[in-house]
Amino acid sequence: MEVRTDRRLIRALLAATSLIAVAGAAHAQEAPAPAEPAQSADDAEGEIIVTGFRASLNAALNVKRQSVGAVDAIVAEDIAKFPDQNLAESLQRIPGIAIQRDGGEGRAITVRGLGAQFTRVRVNGLETVTTSSDGASANRDRSFDFNVFASELFSSIVVHKTASADLDEGSLGAVVDLNTGNPLAGKTGVTIAASAVANYNDLSKTVGPRFAGLLGWKSPDGTLGASVSVAYQDTVTKEIGNNTVRWAQARFDSVDGTRCWTAPNRGGTYIASAACDKAALSFHPRIPRYGEVTHSRERLGITGSVQWAPTDATKVSIDGLYSRFRADRREKWGEVLLRSNERQIDVLNPTYDANNNMVSATLNDAWVRTEHYLRQSQTEFYQIGGTWDQDVSDTFRFTLLGGFSKSDASIPLETTVVFDDRDAQGYRYDYSDKNSPLLAFGTSVTDPANFQLAEIRDRPSDVVNQFKTAQLRTEWDVAEGFQVRVGGVWRRYDYDTTSFTRDTSVCGNGGRDLVLGTITCSASTAFGPTAIYGFPVTAQLADLFTLKGAKTPAGTTTQWLIPNLDATTQFTGLYNRPLALDVGNNRGVTEETKGGYLQFDAKGTVFGLEYAANAGIRYVRTDQSSYGINSGINVTVKRDYEDWLPSLNVALYPTPDIILRGAIAKVITRPSLGNLTPGGSADGFNFRVTSGNPFLEPFRATNFDLAAEWYFAPQSAFSVALFRKDVASFPVAISRSGTFTETGLSPNVLVSSSPAALNPALQAQDIWTISTTGNGKGAKLDGIEIALQAPFRFLPGFLHNFGGIVNATFVRSSADYTQQGPATVPGGTLPNVTRTETLYNVSKRQFNATLYYEDAKFSARSSVAYRGPYVDGGSGTGNIFEGYDSIANVDASIRYKLTDFLELSLEGTNLTDAYRRRITDVDVRRNYENNHFGRTLLVGARVKM
């Protein structure tokens, strides 16, 4: 397998030191208990007892060393003592894992280049999904949102990177085990631990609390234990920057005085000319804007565990987990809607770059808009599960596991109110600096008389994921070094999403307004300062917004009026309006899986070489039922499919300190939930009709893995892993251009405030992208992971207290996608083009590096996590793909033990205030957004008794 890498980066990484809490376990439920604090020799000081953070790293390495498959993990000491706001940020320190952030916080993970939908997550051995509405959109797929949970609630995280027959199916990337309390592993008697932290964000200028506590008890005879833990966090952060909402091509009203249409502003026919054609075929920002997004988040988590082991042969555990994650997102924007309004706009002094972008221009008759958006969301997750481990004899044992989980991500309020000035003069934009454009309004945007309250929206929704699981695992020691594992599983997964709208434009095509019936609206063809398209804006309905912290160039407008949400929603009676069904977002999937596995485990010596191996096959039958709304009718489609999934893992031990690993397995990931609906949706803003395909095949792949690990000193390891994923079936988007009318859909499915609903003539134009999903030809992914961990015990004096781990991942992938490319004639359709690109959410390069110091009283750590650029999906309006630029996040922590039970801490995240830059069109990398989130500092104390 050929994998190209950046040699300079590898050399730099191998020369550096870092901290990634890596550990391993063959399976979360079967992982050996952490080792006792290890001892290491030191010439200067003799015998040293390794405790604290070093002990947790050493225990993790010991477990990794004993595993057969490829796994990595984090143990509780690491999670509790690193400035991670949630589990995603803890996981990013494992080799091969990168995270995607929303609102400055980690939300989802990719493992070895495969996105979040390819990773399965189990909590205390039970597969589950939890979703949130944090960030720009709600999660309505199989992806697991780790930001729902506080990191303090968990005792360990185990990442299985290779498959085995007894490991739950459903992952092309990895299976992640999240494990809560284990009270019988604690000390006898009462254990108490608590921490209190103050969070400060330098962009929002706010301070919020973060508390965590653990109470545990273990009986004197060690047969009964119980524990409960609680974590609470309240934070406010800001996201400040600019956005274009993509770039697009369109025909304008005039260019530098040259008329482009036979009639001004509305109607007529297009007049071809050099100036008009050049402007029409170039790309311009659709909605250039600056703004501020405020994230208010509150996390509450509670875990409880009871364990009873009346004999050495019997152990019963009952585990419960509850989490509530509340997130309010408030957006304030000042913008111009070129999108769908280019026909009325006069362009002056346009400049173009070599990539066919209209990078600057002055616009007259521009559609100026200011908007205020608020989404209130809450995710409630709970799970209850039980495990019975029983040794029937010295050679036969079983584990019976079962439980239920539910994640309810609700959005009771998602409100937008907009002020419009639809014939503004002298608006100027300049994207010569793509990261910090100049956006200047020529007319006053602080005078209420220039605006009309033109549109109101509210879109409540709810997403529910539920799992029920029953599983039996058995083990039979047939002979020394040979074991047979047999098991069966039943699982039911239910996914349901509902969504409604209260959207409306204040005015339709003339007549009384559609909200209060108190004003007479102009016809939609009317244009100019006398046109009435909304309610007059008064000072009581508006707030003055001042943009700060966006690093805008001189001349940029930084103050404008925005709607006061309380006043405008009360004035319009928005929340009293009847709810209308959002057709495309009312759907569901039920999957019932039944399966079993047979696995043989062996270890011994062959030709003088020690080995350990497992080989087996897993069978699973999936009965799937999907429902959605199609042409106003609720449609349900049922199907089933079967998979036989063989796997093999081998570990060879040439010397006691070197391990060679190899693995091969057939794996599956079930199709994306949104693609399975038999219904569809229509987007009247972006002129897109999307329909589902309930007969999609799963993603099926063959995974290959090779690895070498060298444990060259105590608490030290160097490893290299090669991996290949040969994806045989890969659902892909299928798109074409057409009219909305030809789809046969009723115009009632369009949001009433969208341009296509307000202007029915657009429905008959050949400007719509009509998309569905089909079974593609497959894809390939190759990669390499490199990791190094070592304390610096060889250094003299206090320097021997330093240490670190470094890891890097390099991935090469490819898949064929069909995209819609740029129009080649003014006003023409967007032609389909087939492009080969990396898999979505795959960064070609990523690494983590941390340096740590630890002695008996003082410890410090500093870490950098780098993720290279990546494409996260297809784009639109003629752009080829879109995604994110590279980003590096720097975190650090300092801790000091005042006493054996009291510790003080100072921690920081995103210390460089890294910007997140989103781009559209991978060929020319047009600006989509460029935002930053500020630094977060945490000051706290921790008590443990």
Side-chain angles (χ1 to χ4, degrees):
M1 177 176 62
E2 179 186 358
V3 179
R4 292 180 294 178
T5 61
D6 188 328
R7 290 191 177 93
R8 289 176 297 177
L9 183 55
I10 292 177
R11 286 197 296 267
L13 288 168
L14 295 180
T17 57
S18 75
L19 174 68
I20 279 290
V22 291
H27 298 287
Q29 294 76 23
E30 302 163 1
E36 294 296 320
Q39 297 181 349
S40 63
D42 183 272
D43 293 337
E45 298 184 18
E47 191 175 63
I48 293 178
I49 302 300
V50 181
T51 61
F53 177 69
R54 293 178 188 270
S56 69
L57 290 181
N58 194 55
L61 276 187
N62 288 340
V63 177
K64 178 181 180 71
R65 192 170 182 170
Q66 296 169 22
S67 67
V68 178
V71 297
D72 284 296
I74 307 173
V75 297
E77 180 82 6
D78 309 332
I79 298 173
K81 288 193 175 182
F82 217 89
D84 300 322
Q85 300 181 78
N86 60 56
L87 291 177
E89 297 182 15
S90 297
L91 280 162
Q92 73 176 332
R93 310 187 195 287
I94 286 179
I97 293 183
I99 68 172
Q100 186 163 352
R101 295 175 182 265
D102 268 331
E105 255 191 34
R107 180 177 179 180
I109 68 170
T110 66
V111 183
R112 289 184 166 181
L114 289 174
Q117 76 180 94
F118 297 103
T119 296
R120 298 280 68 79
V121 176
R122 304 189 300 190
V123 176
N124 294 324
L126 299 173
E127 183 180 350
T128 190
V129 169
T130 185
T131 63
S132 73
S133 299
D134 200 18
S137 61
N139 178 359
R140 291 189 173 95
D141 209 341
R142 299 182 191 272
S143 304
F144 189 97
D145 285 339
F146 290 88
N147 57 352
V148 171
F149 298 120
S151 59
E152 294 94 336
L153 297 175
F154 295 86
S155 61
S156 67
I157 308 174
V158 180
V159 180
H160 307 263
K161 295 178 180 177
T162 59
S164 59
D166 61 344
L167 188 65
D168 290 343
E169 83 292 334
S171 165
L172 264 64
V175 174
V176 177
D177 276 313
L178 309 178
N179 304 301
T180 59
N182 184 16
L184 285 183
K187 68 176 186 178
T188 299
V190 176
T191 298
I192 299 175
S195 64
V197 176
N199 298 268
Y200 172 76
N201 181 269
D202 68 350
L203 201 57
S204 65
K205 310 295 184 185
T206 59
V207 178
R210 179 175 178 177
F211 304 106
L214 168 71
L215 176 62
W217 174 81
K218 181 179 176 181
S219 64
D221 61 0
T223 62
L224 183 63
S227 66
V228 61
S229 64
V230 179
Y232 176 81
Q233 182 180 9
D234 190 358
T235 61
V236 177
T237 60
K238 288 186 182 292
E239 175 181 345
I240 297 176
N242 63 80
N243 197 309
T244 64
V245 198
R246 281 192 234 106
W247 294 55
Q249 300 167 293
R251 294 174 292 184
F252 291 91
D253 192 33
S254 69
V255 179
D256 272 339
T258 300
R259 300 302 311 171
C260 301
W261 295 84
T262 56
N265 301 318
R266 302 282 192 273
T269 57
Y270 182 72
I271 306 170
S273 67
C276 294
D277 288 354
K278 185 172 185 178
L281 291 175
S282 69
F283 279 82
H284 59 268
R286 295 173 72 239
I287 311 178
R289 61 185 184 175
Y290 273 102
E292 172 188 283
V293 182
T294 301
H295 302 270
S296 301
R297 300 185 178 98
E298 182 189 55
R299 260 186 216 93
L300 172 65
I302 303 172
T303 71
S305 179
V306 177
Q307 293 182 321
W308 179 47
T311 69
D312 292 340
T314 303
K315 180 180 175 182
V316 177
S317 301
I318 298 176
D319 298 290
L321 170 62
Y322 171 81
S323 181
R324 187 192 69 206
F325 177 53
R326 292 174 176 168
D328 289 356
R329 179 185 176 98
R330 187 180 294 270
E331 303 179 12
K332 302 173 181 179
W333 297 100
E335 60 200 27
V336 164
L337 270 72
L338 283 84
R339 178 209 69 197
S340 306
N341 298 312
E342 294 91 348
R343 172 65 186 84
Q344 74 182 40
I345 295 175
D346 299 314
V347 178
L348 300 174
N349 303 316
T351 60
Y352 305 92
D353 66 11
N355 294 316
N356 195 33
N357 299 313
M358 187 190 294
V359 293
S360 68
T362 297
L363 309 178
N364 289 331
D365 292 346
W367 187 316
V368 169
R369 169 169 288 183
T370 69
E371 62 177 275
H372 194 171
Y373 168 93
L374 173 63
R375 184 183 65 213
Q376 295 179 343
S377 64
Q378 174 174 287
T379 296
E380 277 197 297
F381 174 89
Y382 61 86
Q383 175 179 289
I384 185 72
T387 305
W388 175 18
D389 294 297
Q390 182 67 51
D391 292 350
V392 179
S393 68
D394 291 341
T395 61
F396 184 76
R397 66 199 65 89
F398 70 80
T399 296
L400 184 63
L401 174 70
F404 171 80
S405 68
K406 181 178 181 180
S407 170
D408 186 348
S410 62
I411 303 176
L413 182 151
E414 187 174 6
T415 297
T416 307
V417 178
V418 301
F419 290 166
D420 281 352
D421 176 7
R422 298 183 178 178
D423 60 345
Q425 307 299 305
Y427 176 78
R428 183 163 61 100
Y429 75 83
D430 188 345
Y431 278 84
S432 299
D433 181 348
K434 293 181 179 179
N435 291 330
S436 300
L438 185 151
L439 305 179
F441 295 92
T443 52
S444 175
V445 286
T446 60
D447 183 357
N450 286 334
F451 287 106
Q452 299 180 42
L453 196 169
E455 189 176 330
I456 56 177
R457 306 175 197 153
D458 187 42
R459 299 174 179 178
S461 62
D462 189 63
V463 182
V464 177
N465 291 273
Q466 297 182 82
F467 274 90
K468 299 175 183 176
T469 303
Q471 191 170 59
L472 175 66
R473 306 188 188 106
T474 67
E475 299 175 2
W476 177 29
D477 300 331
V478 179
E480 184 174 354
F482 185 71
Q483 185 182 79
V484 177
R485 300 176 187 243
V486 179
V489 63
W490 172 86
R491 184 186 304 110
R492 179 186 169 104
Y493 170 53
D494 292 285
Y495 160 84
D496 296 277
T497 179
T498 55
S499 184
F500 302 90
T501 70
R502 290 189 175 103
D503 295 15
T504 186
S505 290
V506 171
C507 288
N509 189 14
R512 307 301 284 179
D513 73 85
L514 304 177
V515 177
L516 301 178
T518 59
I519 61 173
T520 301
C521 300
S522 302
S524 59
T525 54
F527 186 82
T530 61
I532 297 175
Y533 44 82
F535 299 112
V537 172
T538 63
Q540 291 74 27
L541 296 177
D543 290 328
L544 181 64
F545 170 72
T546 301
L547 180 70
K548 298 178 181 179
K551 299 182 180 180
T552 57
T556 295
T557 303
T558 57
Q559 275 194 330
W560 54 84
L561 291 179
I562 61 170
N564 179 303
L565 284 188
D566 290 338
T568 53
T569 55
Q570 183 177 1
F571 170 73
T572 59
L574 173 60
Y575 302 128
N576 296 323
R577 294 180 61 81
L579 291 169
L581 202 63
D582 182 0
V583 174
N585 285 317
N586 283 263
R587 61 180 189 271
V589 177
T590 294
E591 288 174 345
E592 186 173 305
T593 57
K594 307 180 190 72
Y597 64 86
L598 172 64
Q599 180 173 301
F600 302 100
D601 290 18
K603 60 181 179 181
T605 303
V606 58
F607 301 116
L609 183 65
E610 290 189 21
Y611 74 92
N614 63 59
I617 191 165
R618 187 177 187 89
Y619 165 79
V620 61
R621 172 189 168 96
T622 303
D623 292 292
Q624 172 191 299
S625 175
S626 307
Y627 73 85
I629 299 175
N630 194 322
S631 300
I633 300 173
N634 200 325
V635 177
T636 299
V637 176
K638 295 183 178 181
R639 63 173 299 207
D640 61 76
Y641 51 89
E642 296 178 317
D643 286 279
W644 293 88
L645 306 172
S647 61
L648 171 67
N649 289 271
V650 178
L652 303 175
Y653 306 90
T655 74
D657 296 326
I658 294 177
I659 303 175
L660 305 178
R661 303 187 192 276
I664 182 172
K666 294 280 189 181
V667 293
I668 66 165
T669 289
R670 295 178 176 89
S672 298
L673 296 170
N675 292 337
L676 288 175
T677 176
S681 63
D683 180 353
F685 293 93
N686 296 301
F687 307 111
R688 180 181 294 271
V689 174
T690 304
S691 59
N693 181 356
F695 294 100
L696 281 177
E697 292 295 318
F699 299 83
R700 291 188 172 99
T702 304
N703 288 355
F704 304 89
D705 295 84
L706 288 173
E709 300 164 7
W710 178 29
Y711 298 87
F712 56 89
Q715 307 164 49
S716 305
F718 173 70
S719 63
V720 177
L722 305 176
F723 53 90
R724 163 169 287 181
K725 300 180 186 295
D726 189 352
V727 186
S729 59
F730 192 89
V732 295
I734 302 172
S735 301
R736 64 180 179 86
S737 294
T739 68
F740 177 82
T741 305
E742 73 184 64
T743 67
L745 293 172
S746 167
N748 293 332
V749 303
L750 297 169
V751 174
S752 61
S753 58
S754 65
L758 294 172
N759 185 3
L762 295 173
Q763 299 171 23
Q765 294 183 21
D766 194 27
I767 58 174
W768 290 76
T769 299
I770 302 171
S771 300
T772 188
T773 304
N775 296 304
K777 295 185 296 185
K780 292 185 181 297
L781 182 148
D782 296 332
I784 180 172
E785 288 175 6
I786 304 172
L788 173 65
Q789 171 178 327
F792 298 167
R793 287 303 191 189
F794 55 88
L795 295 177
F798 78 95
L799 294 177
H800 71 197
N801 293 320
F802 282 93
I805 301 171
V806 63
N807 68 74
T809 305
F810 305 90
V811 178
R812 183 181 64 185
S813 66
S814 65
D816 293 333
Y817 301 91
T818 298
Q819 299 274 292
Q820 288 192 303
T824 56
V825 296
T829 59
L830 304 179
N832 281 350
V833 294
T834 298
R835 288 284 300 270
T836 300
E837 185 53 63
T838 61
L839 292 172
Y840 292 163
N841 297 300
V842 172
S843 293
K844 295 180 180 179
R845 298 178 180 87
Q846 63 192 57
F847 70 87
N848 289 278
T850 305
L851 181 69
Y852 71 85
Y853 175 93
E854 186 172 60
D855 60 27
K857 291 283 188 181
F858 178 80
S859 65
R861 286 174 254 172
S862 179
S863 174
V864 58
Y866 168 85
R867 182 176 186 181
Y870 63 96
V871 168
D872 71 340
S875 191
T877 61
N879 297 277
I880 307 297
F881 303 109
E882 58 191 42
Y884 291 89
D885 266 351
S886 62
I887 190 169
N889 291 94
V890 178
D891 304 329
S893 70
I894 299 173
R895 295 176 177 271
Y896 183 76
K897 286 186 177 181
L898 284 178
T899 68
D900 289 341
F901 61 85
L902 177 60
E903 183 179 69
L904 304 180
S905 63
L906 173 63
E907 305 166 314
T909 64
N910 193 27
L911 293 177
T912 60
D913 192 14
Y915 272 68
R916 182 188 66 187
R917 182 169 185 260
R918 184 171 178 82
I919 58 98
T920 185
D921 199 292
V922 295
D923 295 329
V924 299
R925 306 184 67 78
R926 301 182 178 100
N927 171 297
Y928 195 128
E929 67 176 2
N930 191 44
N931 301 325
H932 70 131
F933 308 91
R935 304 168 182 84
T936 298
L937 301 178
L938 306 94
V939 180
R942 185 170 183 263
V943 176
K944 184 176 182 180
M945 294 181 290

